[in-house]
Amino acid sequence: MAQSPAVRILNAAARHIERVGLYQGGEHLWQPGRMGDTAPCGTLHAWDRGVCAARPARSVTDETQWEAFRHGHARALKAISDLVNGTPINPVRWRMLRMSATSCRQSVLWEWGDQPGRTAEECAAAFREAARLVQCDDDYISLLAHQLQNMV
């Protein structure tokens, strides 16, 4: 069974941060001589690598694939940000901060990953747990759809 874009994003982010390690604040991140696909990264960079891994090729013209990707992107970001926040992020939070939902959720992910003592292993585990939660939702929705189909 093919994985949903949300699950692919989260698993790819986990694999990336496991491979390159976690970068945390302190020095300025923009260090061209030390950057690339092998330099340690922050949680947002790992997230971005996951998004790139799941994004359809630019040559894809099938709008359903792009719509599935956009939906998966939103689901994955919601899952990981709510998980690391410890509770679902209330929309009041980003409205009070005058931020978009995406910006608020990305800030929560970045701040969580930048906490002193945070490890790459913890980050990868969080991405994998969010993927598991999204997959459970996908499986449940598929089961319901199958049951409804059989009722007709």
Side-chain angles (χ1 to χ4, degrees), residues 10-139:
L10 294 162
N11 282 328
R15 284 191 305 274
H16 181 75
I17 209 156
E18 283 173 333
R19 187 169 57 79
V20 301
L22 178 65
Y23 174 90
Q24 292 184 302
E27 298 176 36
H28 190 328
L29 182 58
W30 179 251
Q31 299 172 8
R34 298 183 56 212
M35 295 180 76
D37 205 32
T38 58
C41 70
T43 50
L44 279 182
H45 183 260
W47 163 258
D48 186 53
R49 299 312 314 151
V51 169
C52 289
R55 179 181 291 130
R58 287 189 170 111
S59 59
V60 172
T61 58
D62 179 9
E63 186 56 35
T64 58
Q65 286 187 37
W66 283 102
E67 186 56 36
F69 169 74
R70 285 188 289 272
H71 179 70
H73 179 275
R75 283 184 70 209
L77 184 56
K78 181 180 185 319
I80 187 64
S81 61
D82 285 350
L83 178 72
V84 301
N85 190 53
T87 185
I89 299 170
N90 190 324
V92 170
R93 183 173 178 176
W94 60 78
R95 288 185 195 122
M96 287 178 62
L97 294 170
R98 296 183 180 188
M99 297 174 81
S100 69
T102 298
S103 295
C104 181
R105 290 183 178 285
Q106 287 174 331
S107 293
V108 166
L109 181 59
W110 173 72
E111 289 173 14
W112 177 82
D114 210 35
Q115 290 177 355
R118 182 76 61 213
T119 66
E121 292 77 19
E122 287 176 296
C123 293
F127 280 120
R128 290 196 193 289
E129 177 63 12
R132 188 190 67 74
L133 293 171
V134 168
Q135 184 63 52
C136 288
D137 287 348
D138 288 346
D139 292 344

